[in-house]
């Protein structure tokens, strides 16, 4: 019944398709759906739909229109009203909004009122988001009058918003109901699990949405951000807390409260799960973002005396300090809660909240959203994630990462984020170690060569060391290393805290790797030194010459650093193994090449080490020296590592140790789950608001999926299953 | 055998400030044990920094490789030993200039009053690659060596020019083995270089029987000015090279430490293995 209703009306009035943008709720799917029904054609959303059918496409700011009859001219488009002039010369007003709001403005004599209301009820029980549409014919004269008032209101210098609202109210009267639409707006799959996993990983989750409070609260329960035993505090409740804290601080520190050292008394008595639900306007108020009244500035525009100027700057500074202190207090309070939900926030406020957290809490922020209204927030946060979906690609284009579903966030953070951190830290530590071991040999050698900066290696070796001989293994380790497998990473979100607390690369670790490099360089130098002090070669020719010495140290160095990275690698693949042994082989290959007779003939001055490799490495004595050096460098590392893993194992060590057992458990659990399919509980969601600028979709994950069959069943039969779940 | 001669009682003391050149001195010594197999004679220098950077760079390998253009125009690295009296020096550089020029001769004091000179072989002391690849005389084929070196002059501190180092044409010029051995710079300030070989005569007699010997030294090389010391060393070798206890001691030390460590870690592993199996993963 509703279907036919919509059908007829739309044909009469042209097809209005609103593009999804910040302030419009009616998404394109809506009309596609409606249009699909009569024509039975598949259609892509919005523009493609229109273009396929050859409709004229006209756009005015955020609103796009596909007008069947291109002669309809657009008069005015402002949210959420639309004034057009039909080709016959009439002026029509189209309006959309929530049923509660629209119904107030309807003409008394609307024939379809009751039917539409019934349809709306059915939609609501299906937990769909509903919209009502209506229109009105306007006389030319009436329009002109109203237009004048509208112009006056829009250029008003004071209270512009209120004036505009009044003007809107005037014309939005006696509307004729066109019909109702409904879209399905379900929470994406996997959102509750993702949220609970992330909170186990010590990540605080805040929801910033433009919906109204009840909706936001429902969403919070739906995605398990709020549970049954969570105490919910609203903005008004904590006003008092913030106020008292402010007073205390002022009493303690005088005017410049921010110079008082922060006292870490918690806002709330400890214990219990606490959640905070605040609105955008409350945020404005409490954080003193309101602009100072213009009258004040006009009065003190020209400070006559020095005194006045000083007082003004002082008062400004005081105000600034007070604001900062208030903001700091707010952030502290909010961080004590396990979840924070801000509703009715504008995009600007979203960005402001992110900025507050960035400034007052030394934390890394990640903002995830899917609409154009999230772009501000995505850009402000340290990491911006855009969900590519039906909202279009604005969020995606301004983000650092983008994917299609919210639940991929857990993989992004817990698997790839964690691995990336671990790889980076290992890479850095190893790189510093390797270069210190390489370079400091010269330092020790200088004691024995008259401090003359004679290099302890061949020049070509120095050139190629970082380039060829030791670069590939560390590169591969930085790309491929995994300390625990991805499934286990997801299963134990607690592993993530290692990165949050900076445990794997901080000053201490850096100095440890530095020290390691120094010790290695000492061993690399002094053992061959001892071996060379009094030695002669196998056939009497003294190999105690400089070039053999260089070759010995270089070989020992290459073997040591490559084996060291072998010890550091936790995830062995074929490429890793190949790179390590390959680097060593490459070194020997190139060395023999450069020390050969052939190349000396070509470039005598450049390659002076002719014959060294073959002569020196022929001696078993040299090999014994090299082996001893490598062993002395690596054995302590092995011992220390073993001890630390046995006596003080880290979480990831423990997991690694038991990984086979955990993997078996995983298999067993998965086999069990195959035969059971979870039913997600849905709460009814009247998630629509009418106010301009706040009509927003849930930004913490949503997708609009065209689902035709259930609705067909509902409307066509006229019967409906009432699956209304009770709101708490 | 140190023969620097700083000690006034040393026979070579008189050569420190010689009133006549060349100064010859003799040192007596006794071998407790006879030396079997091939015996190698080395000269050793101390406090001589052949590994100083400026020193090591001061050579021209193209010239030493026999390149005719480099012969007459040595590389700039050789400064200040590049030209002398406006003629290019061959071989140029500080390394060549400071070549060791003492002559050592060994005599066995036998039962008869006549001391027997020990035959010292002067070929085969340099690396094969050095002698045949790295160092070559300037090309010329049949032209006598002196002709090939025409236009150059000898290094400042040398007595004889390079083409008169030895009468044997295979050991003259740049490919003189003593020269080659000297040009292979040492790694440390205390080093030894192979001087002569004493070949094994036959299996019945030891190469150097135990007894008294004396060393005849033509003391040319001044080391006293930089507090250096000169030594003559006689040595036999094994598969691992000459006598050097360092590596052996090091291996034994490291080996025993590793063994102890292994035992300790085994105990620790055993103790913790039992406790960790029951430990739960707390996250």
């Amino acid at each position: 019944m509703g279907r036919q209703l919509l059908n007829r009306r739309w044909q009469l009035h042209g097809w209005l398709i609103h593009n999804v943008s910040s302030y419009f709720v009616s998404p394109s799917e809506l009309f596609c759906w409606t249009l699909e029904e009569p024509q039975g054609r598949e259609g892509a959303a919005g523009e493609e739909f229109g273009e396929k059918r050859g409709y004229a496409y006209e756009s005015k700011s955020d609103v796009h229109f596909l007008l069947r009859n291109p002669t309809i001219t657009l008069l005015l488009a402002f949210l959420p009203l639309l004034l057009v002039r039909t080709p016959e010369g009439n002026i029509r007003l189209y309006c959309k909004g929530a049923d509660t709001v629209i119904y107030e403005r309807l003409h008394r004599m609307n024939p379809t009122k009751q039917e539409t209301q019934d349809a709306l009820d059915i939609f609501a029980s299906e937990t769909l988001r509903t919209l009502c549409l209506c229109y009105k014919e306007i006389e030319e004269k009436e329009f002109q009058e109203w237009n004048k008032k509208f112009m006056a209101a829009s250029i008003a210098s004071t209270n512009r918003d209120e004036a505009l609202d009044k003007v809107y109210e005037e014309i939005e009267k006696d509307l004729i109901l066109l019909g109702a639409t409904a879209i399905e707006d379900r929470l994406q799959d996997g959102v509750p699990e993702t949220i609970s996993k992330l909170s186990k990983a010590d990540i605080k989750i805040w929801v910033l949405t433009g919906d109204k409070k009840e909706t936001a609260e429902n969403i919070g329960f739906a995605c398990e951000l709020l549970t049954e035993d969570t105490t919910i505090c609203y903005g008004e409740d904590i006003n008092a807390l913030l106020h008292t804290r402010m007073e205390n601080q002022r009493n303690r520190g005088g005017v410049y409260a921010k110079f008082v050292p922060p006292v870490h008394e918690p806002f709330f008595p400890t214990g219990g799960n606490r959640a905070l639900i605040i609105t955008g306007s409350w945020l404005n108020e409490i954080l003193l973002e309101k602009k100072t009244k213009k009258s004040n500035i006009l009065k003190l525009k020209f400070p006559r005396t020095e005194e006045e100027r000083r007082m003004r700057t002082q008062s400004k500074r005081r105000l600034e300090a007070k604001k900062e202190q208030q903001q700091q207090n707010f952030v502290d309070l909010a961080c004590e809660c396990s979840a924070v939900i801000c509703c009715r926030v504008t995009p600007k406020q979203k960005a402001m909240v992110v900025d507050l957290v960035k400034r007052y809490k030394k934390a890394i922020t990640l903002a995830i959203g899917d609409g154009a209204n999230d772009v501000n927030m995505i850009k402000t946060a340290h990491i911006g994630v855009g969900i590519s979906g039906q909202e279009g690609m604005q969020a995606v284009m301004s983000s650092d990462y983008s994917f299609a579903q919210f639940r991929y966030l857990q993989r992004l953070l817990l698997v790839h984020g964690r691995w990336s951190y671990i790889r980076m830290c290992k890479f850095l530590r190893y790189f510093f170690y390797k270069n210190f071991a390489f370079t400091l040999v010269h330092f020790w050698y200088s004691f024995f060569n008259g401090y003359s900066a004679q290099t302890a290696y061949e020049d070509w070796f120095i050139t190629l060391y970082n380039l060829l001989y030791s670069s590939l293994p560390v590169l591969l380790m930085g790309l491929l290393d995994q300390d625990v497998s991805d499934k286990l990473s997801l299963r134990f979100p607690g592993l993530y805290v290692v990165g949050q607390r900076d445990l794997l690369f901080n000053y201490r670790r850096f100095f440890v790797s530095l020290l390691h490099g120094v010790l290695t360089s000492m061993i690399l130098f002094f053992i061959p030194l001892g071996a060379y002090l009094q030695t002669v070669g196998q056939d009497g020719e003294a190999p105690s010459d400089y070039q053999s010495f260089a070759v010995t140290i270089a070989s020992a160095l290459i073997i040591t650093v490559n084996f060291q990275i072998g010890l550091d690698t936790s995830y062995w693949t074929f490429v890793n193994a190949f790179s390590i042994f390959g680097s060593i082989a490459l070194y020997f290959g190139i060395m023999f090449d450069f020390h050969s007779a052939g190349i000396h003939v070509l470039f005598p001055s450049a390659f002076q080490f002719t014959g060294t490799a073959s002569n020196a490495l022929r001696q078993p004595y040299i090999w014994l020296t090299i082996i001893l050096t490598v062993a002395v460098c690596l054995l302590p590392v092995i011992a220390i590592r073993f001890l630390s893993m046995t006596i003080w194992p880290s979480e990831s060590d423990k997991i690694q140790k038991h990984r086979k057992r955990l993997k078996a458990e995983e298999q067993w659990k998965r086999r069990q789950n195959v035969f059971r399919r979870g039913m997600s509980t849905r709460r009814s969601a009247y998630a629509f608001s009418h106010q301009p600028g706040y009509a927003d979709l849930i930004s913490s994950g949503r997708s609009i999926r065209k689902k035709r069959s259930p609705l067909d069943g509902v409307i066509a039969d006229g019967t409906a299953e009432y699956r209304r779940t009770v709101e708490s | 055998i140190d023969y620097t001669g700083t000690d006034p009682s040393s026979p070579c003391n008189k050569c420190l400030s010689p009133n006549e050149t060349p100064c010859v001195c003799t040192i007596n010594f006794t071998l407790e044990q006879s030396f079997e197999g091939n015996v190698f004679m080395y000269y050793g220098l101390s406090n001589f920094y052949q590994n100083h950077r400026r020193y090591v760079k001061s050579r021209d390998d193209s010239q030493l490789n026999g390149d005719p253009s480099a012969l007459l125009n040595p590389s700039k690295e050789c400064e200040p030993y590049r030209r002398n009296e406006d003629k290019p020096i061959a071989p140029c550089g500080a390394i060549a200039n400071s070549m060791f020029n003492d002559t050592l001769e060994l005599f066995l004091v036998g039962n008869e009053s006549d001391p027997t000179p020990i035959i010292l072989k002067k070929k085969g002391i340099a690396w094969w690659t050095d002698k045949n690849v790295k160092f070559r005389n300037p090309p010329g084929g049949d032209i006598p060596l002196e002709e090939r070196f025409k236009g150059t002059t000898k290094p400042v501190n040398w007595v004889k020019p390079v083409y008169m180092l030895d009468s044997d044409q295979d050991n003259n010029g740049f490919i003189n083995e003593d020269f080659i051995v000297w040009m292979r710079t040492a790694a440390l300030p205390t080093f030894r270089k192979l001087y002569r070989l004493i070949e094994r005569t036959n299996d019945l007699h030891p190469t150097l029987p135990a007894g008294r010997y004396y060393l005849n030294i033509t003391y040319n090389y001044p080391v006293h000015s930089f507090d250096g010391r000169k030594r003559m060393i006689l040595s036999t070798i094994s598969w691992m090279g000459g006598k050097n206890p360092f590596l052996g001691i090091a291996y034994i030390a490291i080996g025993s430490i590793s063994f102890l460590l292994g035992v300790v870690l085994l105990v620790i592993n055993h103790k913790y293995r039992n406790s960790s199996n029951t430990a739960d993963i707390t996250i």
Side-chain angles (χ1 to χ4, degrees), chain A residues 539-570:
Chain A
D539 26 9
E541 297 159 5
S544 62
D545 68 304
Y546 164 72
Q547 294 180 344
S548 307
F549 191 56
V551 165
T552 312
I553 299 186
S555 310
L557 172 71
I558 292 286
I559 298 181
T560 308
V561 296
N562 277 316
F563 280 8
Q564 175 68 42
I565 200 172
L567 288 177
D568 276 341
T569 310
S570 5

Coordinates of all heavy atoms in Angstrom, one line a residue, chain A residues 539-570:
Chain A
D539 N 103.3 -21.3 5.0 CA 104.5 -21.6 4.3 C 105.6 -20.6 4.6 O 106.4 -20.3 3.8 CB 104.3 -21.8 2.8 CG 103.1 -20.9 2.3 OD1 102.6 -20.2 3.2 OD2 102.7 -21.1 1.2
G540 N 105.5 -20.1 5.8 CA 106.6 -19.2 6.2 C 106.4 -17.8 5.8 O 106.9 -16.9 6.5
E541 N 105.6 -17.6 4.8 CA 105.4 -16.2 4.4 C 104.5 -15.6 5.5 O 103.4 -16.0 5.8 CB 104.7 -16.1 3.1 CG 105.5 -16.7 2.0 CD 104.6 -17.1 0.8 OE1 103.4 -16.8 0.9 OE2 105.1 -17.7 -0.1
A542 N 105.0 -14.5 6.1 CA 104.3 -14.0 7.2 C 103.0 -13.4 6.7 O 103.0 -12.5 5.9 CB 105.2 -12.9 7.8
P543 N 101.9 -13.9 7.2 CA 100.7 -13.3 6.9 C 100.3 -12.1 7.8 O 99.2 -11.8 7.9 CB 99.7 -14.4 7.1 CG 100.2 -15.1 8.2 CD 101.7 -15.0 8.2
S544 N 101.3 -11.6 8.5 CA 100.9 -10.6 9.4 C 101.0 -9.3 8.8 O 101.3 -8.3 9.4 CB 101.9 -10.6 10.6 OG 103.2 -10.3 10.1
D545 N 100.6 -9.3 7.5 CA 100.6 -8.0 6.9 C 99.3 -7.3 7.0 O 98.3 -8.0 7.3 CB 101.0 -8.1 5.4 CG 99.9 -8.8 4.6 OD1 99.6 -10.0 5.1 OD2 99.4 -8.3 3.6
Y546 N 99.2 -6.1 6.7 CA 98.0 -5.3 6.9 C 96.8 -5.8 6.1 O 95.7 -5.8 6.6 CB 98.4 -3.8 6.4 CG 97.2 -3.0 6.2 CD1 96.4 -2.6 7.3 CD2 96.8 -2.6 5.0 CE1 95.3 -1.8 7.2 CE2 95.6 -1.9 4.8 CZ 94.9 -1.5 5.9 OH 93.8 -0.7 5.7
Q547 N 97.1 -6.2 4.9 CA 95.9 -6.6 4.0 C 95.3 -7.9 4.5 O 94.0 -8.0 4.5 CB 96.4 -6.7 2.6 CG 96.8 -5.4 2.1 CD 97.2 -5.4 0.6 OE1 97.5 -6.5 0.1 NE2 97.3 -4.2 0.0
S548 N 96.1 -8.8 5.0 CA 95.5 -10.0 5.5 C 94.7 -9.7 6.8 O 93.6 -10.3 7.1 CB 96.5 -11.1 5.9 OG 97.3 -11.3 4.7
F549 N 95.2 -8.8 7.6 CA 94.6 -8.4 8.8 C 93.2 -7.8 8.5 O 92.2 -8.2 9.1 CB 95.4 -7.3 9.5 CG 95.0 -7.0 10.9 CD1 94.9 -7.9 11.8 CD2 94.8 -5.7 11.2 CE1 94.6 -7.6 13.1 CE2 94.4 -5.3 12.5 CZ 94.3 -6.3 13.4
A550 N 93.2 -7.0 7.5 CA 91.9 -6.4 7.1 C 90.9 -7.4 6.6 O 89.7 -7.4 7.0 CB 92.1 -5.4 5.9
V551 N 91.4 -8.4 5.8 CA 90.5 -9.4 5.4 C 90.0 -10.2 6.5 O 88.8 -10.6 6.5 CB 91.3 -10.3 4.3 CG1 90.5 -11.6 4.1 CG2 91.4 -9.6 3.0
T552 N 90.8 -10.5 7.5 CA 90.3 -11.3 8.6 C 89.2 -10.6 9.4 O 88.2 -11.2 9.6 CB 91.5 -11.6 9.6 OG1 92.6 -12.0 8.9 CG2 91.1 -12.6 10.6
I553 N 89.5 -9.4 9.7 CA 88.5 -8.6 10.4 C 87.2 -8.5 9.6 O 86.1 -8.7 10.2 CB 89.0 -7.2 10.8 CG1 90.2 -7.4 11.7 CG2 87.9 -6.5 11.6 CD1 90.7 -6.0 12.3
A554 N 87.3 -8.2 8.4 CA 86.1 -8.0 7.6 C 85.3 -9.3 7.5 O 84.1 -9.3 7.6 CB 86.5 -7.5 6.2
S555 N 86.0 -10.4 7.3 CA 85.2 -11.6 7.2 C 84.5 -11.9 8.5 O 83.3 -12.3 8.5 CB 86.1 -12.8 6.8 OG 86.9 -12.5 5.8
A556 N 85.2 -11.8 9.6 CA 84.6 -12.0 10.9 C 83.4 -11.1 11.1 O 82.4 -11.5 11.6 CB 85.6 -11.8 12.0
L557 N 83.5 -9.9 10.7 CA 82.4 -8.9 10.9 C 81.2 -9.3 10.1 O 80.1 -9.4 10.6 CB 82.9 -7.5 10.4 CG 81.8 -6.5 10.3 CD1 81.4 -6.1 11.7 CD2 82.3 -5.3 9.6
I558 N 81.4 -9.7 8.8 CA 80.3 -10.0 8.0 C 79.6 -11.3 8.6 O 78.3 -11.3 8.7 CB 80.7 -10.3 6.6 CG1 81.2 -9.0 5.9 CG2 79.6 -10.9 5.8 CD1 80.1 -8.1 5.6
I559 N 80.3 -12.2 8.9 CA 79.7 -13.4 9.5 C 79.0 -13.1 10.8 O 77.8 -13.6 11.0 CB 80.7 -14.6 9.6 CG1 81.3 -14.9 8.3 CG2 80.1 -15.8 10.2 CD1 82.4 -16.0 8.3
T560 N 79.6 -12.3 11.6 CA 79.0 -12.0 12.9 C 77.6 -11.3 12.7 O 76.6 -11.7 13.3 CB 79.9 -11.2 13.8 OG1 81.1 -11.8 13.9 CG2 79.3 -11.0 15.1
V561 N 77.7 -10.2 11.9 CA 76.4 -9.4 11.9 C 75.3 -10.2 11.2 O 74.1 -10.1 11.5 CB 76.6 -8.1 11.2 CG1 77.5 -7.2 12.0 CG2 77.1 -8.2 9.8
N562 N 75.7 -11.0 10.2 CA 74.6 -11.8 9.6 C 74.0 -12.9 10.5 O 72.8 -13.1 10.5 CB 75.1 -12.4 8.3 CG 75.0 -11.4 7.2 OD1 74.1 -10.7 7.0 ND2 76.1 -11.3 6.4
F563 N 74.9 -13.5 11.3 CA 74.3 -14.4 12.2 C 73.6 -13.8 13.3 O 72.6 -14.3 13.8 CB 75.5 -15.3 12.8 CG 75.9 -16.4 11.9 CD1 75.4 -16.5 10.6 CD2 76.8 -17.4 12.3 CE1 75.8 -17.5 9.7 CE2 77.2 -18.4 11.5 CZ 76.7 -18.4 10.2
Q564 N 74.0 -12.6 13.6 CA 73.2 -11.8 14.7 C 71.8 -11.5 14.2 O 70.8 -11.7 15.0 CB 73.9 -10.5 15.0 CG 73.2 -9.6 15.9 CD 73.2 -10.1 17.3 OE1 74.2 -10.7 17.8 NE2 72.1 -10.0 17.9
I565 N 71.7 -11.2 12.9 CA 70.3 -10.9 12.5 C 69.5 -12.3 12.4 O 68.3 -12.3 12.6 CB 70.3 -10.2 11.2 CG1 68.9 -9.5 11.1 CG2 70.5 -11.0 10.0 CD1 68.7 -8.6 10.0
G566 N 70.3 -13.3 12.2 CA 69.6 -14.6 12.2 C 69.0 -14.9 13.6 O 67.9 -15.4 13.8
L567 N 69.8 -14.5 14.6 CA 69.2 -14.6 16.0 C 68.1 -13.7 16.3 O 67.2 -14.1 17.0 CB 70.3 -14.3 17.0 CG 71.5 -15.3 17.1 CD1 72.5 -14.8 18.1 CD2 70.9 -16.6 17.6
D568 N 68.0 -12.6 15.6 CA 67.0 -11.6 15.9 C 65.7 -12.0 15.2 O 64.6 -11.5 15.6 CB 67.4 -10.2 15.4 CG 68.2 -9.5 16.4 OD1 68.1 -9.9 17.6 OD2 68.9 -8.5 16.1
T569 N 65.8 -12.7 14.1 CA 64.6 -13.0 13.3 C 63.7 -14.0 14.1 O 64.1 -15.0 14.6 CB 65.0 -13.7 12.0 OG1 66.0 -12.9 11.4 CG2 63.8 -13.8 11.1
S570 N 62.4 -13.6 14.2 CA 61.5 -14.6 14.8 C 60.6 -15.4 13.8 O 60.0 -16.3 14.2 CB 60.6 -13.9 15.8 OG 60.7 -12.6 15.8

